[in-house]
Amino acid sequence: QVQLVESGGGAVQAGGSLRLSCTGSIVTSSTTYMAWFRQPPGKERVGVAAIYGGGGITYYADSVKGRFTISQDNAKNTVYLQMNSLKPEDTAMYYCAARVTPYGGGWSEQFWYHYWGQGTQVTVSS
């Protein structure tokens, strides 16, 4: 059974930083996409960032470009999301997801992700 376990969430003031981690055996150089999604309270879940092919290419939502960095350590089966200059609007439940097929829609389309973590809460206060 594939499991993804997120950690690193918490409460921080605006302007602060957090690093989220997602660990699982599926996190390897062969995984097509590893991604982070987030769901703010009362809103839909949306893509935040993704990394393709074990680390070669990265993608970001416009709202986080320049502030968030996604990276992957295949030796540790872990993908990270470094979040800097956090804003109150970054408050959400953050989910890690894995996609094992290169076919289908874009990186932020949730339908194509096969495995999901349980989520970790990030709360940013002003």
Side-chain angles (χ1 to χ4, degrees):
Q1 184 178 357
V2 175
Q3 283 189 314
L4 292 170
V5 180
E6 299 105 331
S7 62
V12 64
Q13 289 191 327
S17 298
L18 284 173
R19 189 177 78 157
L20 305 184
S21 300
C22 171
T23 301
S25 59
I26 196 70
V27 184
T28 71
S29 58
S30 299
T31 307
T32 303
Y33 288 96
M34 290 300 305
W36 289 94
F37 290 79
R38 69 185 182 186
Q39 186 168 19
K43 296 185 179 180
E44 294 183 349
R45 188 164 59 185
V46 297
V48 175
I51 191 163
Y52 175 79
I57 302 172
T58 56
Y59 304 87
Y60 296 94
D62 288 343
S63 59
V64 306
K65 280 181 182 176
R67 300 189 298 122
F68 290 12
T69 303
I70 188 170
S71 60
Q72 185 168 331
D73 186 336
N74 296 315
K76 295 183 178 180
N77 297 121
T78 300
V79 62
Y80 303 97
L81 186 68
Q82 178 66 45
M83 305 186 295
N84 298 328
S85 301
L86 282 161
K87 304 175 181 180
E89 51 263 45
D90 294 318
T91 294
M93 184 71 79
Y94 283 71
Y95 297 91
C96 172
R99 171 173 161 179
V100 297
T101 175
Y103 307 108
W107 69 268
S108 61
E109 295 188 29
Q110 301 177 53
F111 176 82
W112 300 102
Y113 285 82
H114 306 87
Y115 306 104
W116 292 82
Q118 81 288 350
T120 186
Q121 178 67 38
V122 172
T123 302
V124 184
S125 58
S126 57

